[in-house]
Structures are given as C-alpha cells and as structure tokens.
Amino acid sequence: MLAVENGKTRVSRGWLLPVFGAMLGALVFLVVRGSLTDDSYITLAYAKNLAEHGEWGMIPGSPANSATSPLNILLLGALTLVTRIFGGAHPVIALGVLTVVCGGALGWAWQRIGRVLSLPTAAGVLGVTLVLLNPFVLSAIGLEVLLIPAVLLVLTALALEGRPVWFGVAAGLAILTRLDLVVFVVVIALGTPAIRRRLLPAVGFAVLTTAPWFLVSWIAFGSFVPDTLVIKQSQAGLFAPWSYSTGPMMYYLGWPVTVLVSFLPAVVGVVALAGWAAARFAVRWPDFPPLGPVAALAAGGIVYYIAYSYLGVGPFHWYYVAPVTATSAFAVAAFGSWYAQAHEKPALRTGPPLLALGLTGVLVLGGAAVDASQGLPWKSPVVFGNWASAQDYARVGTELGKRLDGASVASPGEIGTLAYYCQCAILDVFSDRGEAVSLVQQRIATASPVMSLALRVNYHWLDRSATPRKRDYRLQYASGPATGPDSWQVYSAAKGVGHFVLTREP
C-alpha cells in the first residue's frame, strides 16, 4: 500500500513543474497580450495569412520568406486555424495557447533534468521563473522567445537521459525554431558522451525532422535561410555606434535595473560554468555531478554570443534571449546539484548552495518587480522602442485599410501591427519579395568571398527577376501632433506623441 502511495506521489510531483509552468505562462500572457511589439505582429500576420489563405507571407497575395522562426509560424498558424472553428481567425488567442504550452514544456524539461540530477523542486521552479518573469523575454512575446528556451531545455533533458533518437527530433525542432540554434545542438551533442557515441541516429532523426521544411523553403520560397539574416544585417546601422556585443551596455543606459535583473543570472551562470570546468578537470571525484549536457547548453550560449557579435547584426533585444536563458539555466542546475550533493554528504555544508539559490531567487523577484512596475496589464513592454503603442497601431491599421480601398502603400518602417490590422497591400522588404531581391543582390555583391558563396547557394532557386511592387501611397511617421487630412496621431511610451501621414505617390 505504501509503495502504491509513493508511486502516486511521484506521479503527482512529476506534474507539478509542467502545471506550474503552464499556469505561469497563462498568467504572463494575460499581462502582456495588449502590449505586443511590432515585430511580434509580423509573426502574427504570417500566422493569420497562413491560417486564412494558406500562404507563406505577411500580407495576402504577396509570398515572402522573412519569418525568422518557421516552427513558431507553423505552430501559431495551426492553432489559429483551430480558432476558426469558433468564428474568425484569432492569432492572438493562438499565441496565448502557445505561451501556455511553452510554459508547460519548460516545466516538463526541468522536471526531467531535476530527476536525473536529483535537484530540489525549488530549482525547477527557479528555472521556469527565470524565463517566464524575465523582462527582456516578456518584452518580445509573440516572437520565438519562449519557444527557444523550451526546445533548448527539452534538448538538454534528452541529452541528460541519453536518448539519441529523441535528441535528434528535439534538435530538428530547435533548428526549425531558429536556424542559429544549431550552435547549441552541436555543442550539446559533442559534449554529451551518450549522444556522441550514437551520433548517427541523432543526426539522422534531426535531418528527417528538418529536411522537409528546408527543401520546401529552398525551392518554393527561394531561400534555405530566411531573408531576415540579410535584412537584419542591413539594419545594423540603426543602433550605431552600438553592436550586438556592446548591446547590453546600450540597454543598461536606458533600463539599468531591467538589464541587471535580466542579465545577472546569465553572468552568474558563466561564472558558475568557469568554476565547474575548473573543478571538473582539476579534481578526480567519482561522484562528480553529471552536469555535462547542462554545461554544454551554457557553453553553447557563449559560442552563440560570440558568433552573433561576429555576424555584425544589430542589438535587437530578443537576440539575447538564447544566450541569457541558456547560461541562466546552468546557474540553477549547478546550484541545485551542489545542494543535492551537500544534502547527501555530511562533509559538505548546505548553507552555501542554499545561499546561491536564494540569491538567484532574489533576481527572479527583481524581474517580477520590474514586470509589475510596468502596470498590470501592460500597456507597453518594459523594453520598447516602437513609434506607437499596439492599441494606436491597431486603430491606424484598421482605418488605413478602409482609406486605401484596395490600393497599395509603402510601409513607414514598422510594418507588423499595421499589416495585421490593415489587411492591405502594405509593402516593404518584409512583405514584398521584389524589394527583398534587390537587397539580397546588393548583399551578395558586397559580402566577403565566403559569405557571398554561402548566400549564392542559399538563394540558388530565388527568382531574381522579381521587382518591387508599385506603391500607390506612402505612409510616413513624424514626431509631434497630427495636423491636416490623412493623418493619425499616436503615442508611444518610448517616443511620445507622434503621427502618421498618408501621401499619394507620384
């Protein structure tokens, strides 16, 4: 009878972290749903177009390949399609469901990691909350910022359990989430003996998972890698003199407390990784905690940061989610494992690891305080730079669609929310493949020989004859109140009062 009760207790505890993650995911979505950024609405516009018209592009009738995360779009598109059962398409509701699923996946991964490493449940709670309460993460909900840590932690859990086939499937999903996550896949695979010894089935299932999409993307959409790599590289000058490597300092100057509570867990994780590596290779200890795959996750975050610094992309705040969440996860796993070892061995003291876990918890509470100080629910994200609030963009987009009456319009530069609500031909490099072709050809001509070759291979099937679509109107943004006809006044927490003006193209 006791054995049965213990079994039921283990099962119930096994559901604790997934349920906690899902519930916290639902809660944070309710907080942020009215404050989604313009880039988040690019994702939602793709999902809406996919669900309603079966097209891969931001606006109806204009195929594009500017979505960075195919898996995020496919999942949101599928969930949006389900919402059509109850009426029209509702991508925002689909995003809420996906947020809950990602929260549950985070909890599931920490439950599996905790079981292998004998971590206390509190460590798993910290791991989940470090992601779901991080202001940088929440400021970009709608992009793949929750899918990234979810797939990486599931990947790490499967590596810890030594399951190469499922590791390969998870690796494929990670690459479909963002192609650049291949950095983590390689580092974790090579850093885990159980996966390294059976690398062939792991690679095989990763290829089976990813190949169908990438073949379709390469041949049908004209590029293996989305156009966003070229687009974002061309936008690096938007942040001059700041770059990806110096971006955290740029954000610190604007949001010092937010940056501290968001990035300090990652810094602690890097320090913990250095200490673990020194101890691991300097001391022969048969009972050394098997943290290898989690350490590889953190090492992947460091390599990722270095690689992005080399690529020369701008310091968009969601680009820091992968390295920050990966290294933060190692801090939690290392401190939790340290506590587990100290709890079992009388020679070790439990005070230091408890203090380390407690200080990490303080950083989590600091993140929660920053989130709450923004007001509940949010009217704008903590880290924010758009010209207008989501609500004002929705109003302008809806009225713009009626005003155009089927005509096309050149985007002012921020296109996502306008495209989502306008349901019109609003055109720029993200929505008009003809304009993207011009940018691609320019990038190939100016790239280094190696990069130029890679780009030519990537765009081998691209229709180079595509030209930009004709613009009937142009929408432009300027600061200050609106005056005159065809203008809309807006407000942004980052920019203050501004306005958009619609003018006829000659």
Side-chain angles (χ1 to χ4, degrees):
M1 186 67 168
L2 182 60
V4 172
E5 290 178 355
N6 287 340
K8 289 181 179 178
T9 301
R10 284 194 297 270
V11 171
S12 63
R13 287 180 179 176
W15 284 103
L16 177 62
L17 287 176
V19 170
F20 171 74
M23 291 179 65
L24 186 57
L27 178 63
V28 299
F29 179 73
L30 292 175
V31 170
V32 307
R33 68 183 302 272
S35 65
L36 303 178
T37 64
D38 192 69
D39 282 88
S40 298
Y41 271 102
I42 290 178
T43 300
L44 294 178
Y46 258 89
K48 186 177 184 179
N49 196 26
L50 181 62
E52 289 186 334
H53 306 286
E55 298 175 348
W56 193 259
M58 189 184 305
I59 59 175
S62 185
N65 197 19
S66 56
T68 306
S69 176
L71 184 60
N72 198 33
I73 301 294
L74 291 170
L75 291 174
L76 284 171
L79 291 169
T80 301
L81 187 62
V82 173
T83 67
R84 295 188 65 185
I85 297 173
F86 308 100
H90 298 287
V92 176
I93 293 176
L95 175 60
V97 174
L98 186 57
T99 302
V100 171
V101 171
C102 287
L106 285 169
W108 183 87
W110 274 110
Q111 184 268 327
R112 308 289 288 228
I113 293 170
R115 187 171 65 180
V116 174
L117 299 177
S118 301
L119 302 180
T121 303
V125 171
L126 277 179
V128 172
T129 52
L130 272 174
V131 173
L132 291 178
L133 296 180
N134 185 310
F136 261 66
V137 174
L138 297 190
S139 294
I141 292 289
L143 296 169
E144 59 277 9
V145 291
L146 288 182
L147 206 52
I148 288 171
V151 295
L152 290 181
L153 281 164
V154 168
L155 187 74
T156 304
L158 294 169
L160 276 166
E161 294 175 344
R163 304 171 69 181
V165 170
W166 284 109
F167 178 89
V169 173
L173 294 176
I175 293 169
L176 288 175
T177 299
R178 283 187 69 99
L179 185 59
D180 50 31
L181 297 187
V182 70
V183 171
F184 292 92
V185 171
V186 171
V187 174
I188 294 172
L190 296 180
T192 307
I195 304 300
R196 193 170 61 243
R197 285 193 295 265
R198 299 192 60 196
L199 202 55
L200 189 58
V203 172
F205 275 87
V207 171
L208 286 174
T209 304
T210 57
W213 167 258
F214 283 119
L215 285 174
V216 169
S217 178
W218 191 36
I219 296 171
F221 303 147
S223 60
F224 186 80
V225 180
D227 298 338
T228 42
L229 174 62
V230 171
I231 294 171
K232 293 302 183 183
Q233 284 181 326
S234 71
Q235 294 177 340
L238 291 174
F239 298 92
W242 304 99
S243 64
Y244 181 82
S245 59
T246 60
M249 180 56 68
M250 179 192 77
Y251 286 111
Y252 177 80
L253 295 176
W255 298 276
V257 176
T258 299
V259 169
L260 286 176
V261 298
S262 299
F263 281 78
L264 267 182
V267 174
V268 171
V270 172
V271 173
L273 178 65
W276 174 86
R280 180 69 182 87
F281 297 107
V283 178
R284 293 186 178 275
W285 183 14
D287 295 329
F288 205 90
L291 285 169
V294 194
L297 172 68
I302 296 171
V303 175
Y304 185 98
Y305 193 97
I306 294 170
Y308 255 61
S309 299
Y310 171 77
L311 283 173
V313 296
F316 298 94
H317 67 272
W318 54 90
Y319 285 179
Y320 296 99
V321 168
V324 165
T325 55
T327 48
S328 299
F330 180 76
V332 172
F335 297 153
S337 184
W338 182 13
Y339 172 78
Q341 290 277 319
H343 187 70
E344 291 179 359
K345 300 180 182 300
L348 299 176
R349 298 169 56 193
T350 58
L354 276 176
L355 178 62
L357 287 169
L359 291 175
T360 306
V362 169
L363 292 175
V364 170
L365 291 176
V370 169
D371 298 335
S373 68
Q374 193 70 1
L376 301 176
W378 284 5
K379 293 182 179 179
S380 67
V382 176
V383 183
F384 184 59
N386 291 152
W387 292 327
S389 67
Q391 295 82 3
D392 279 353
Y393 261 139
R395 172 177 53 83
V396 174
T398 302
E399 294 178 8
L400 180 65
K402 296 176 182 177
R403 170 66 179 82
L404 291 173
D405 193 26
S408 63
V409 60
S411 158
E414 294 183 352
I415 187 175
T417 319
L418 292 171
Y420 181 89
Y421 285 99
C422 180
Q423 285 291 282
C424 60
I426 183 167
L427 304 171
D428 72 1
V429 70
F430 286 97
S431 61
D432 182 3
R433 200 67 189 281
E435 188 169 339
V437 167
S438 301
L439 185 62
V440 166
Q441 291 177 330
Q442 179 183 352
R443 180 73 181 111
I444 290 174
T446 58
S448 66
V450 174
M451 178 60 75
S452 179
L453 176 62
L455 289 171
R456 286 198 300 271
V457 172
N458 179 59
Y459 288 105
H460 176 74
W461 296 102
L462 178 64
D463 180 9
R464 306 288 181 90
S465 65
T467 56
R469 292 176 58 180
K470 181 180 181 299
R471 277 73 165 156
D472 299 315
Y473 290 88
R474 179 170 298 276
L475 189 67
Q476 294 176 295
Y477 172 84
S479 60
T483 57
D486 285 340
S487 62
W488 294 268
Q489 186 165 308
V490 295
Y491 176 79
S492 160
K495 306 295 183 181
V497 175
H499 64 278
F500 289 95
V501 177
L502 183 68
T503 56
R504 186 86 188 188
E505 284 287 87

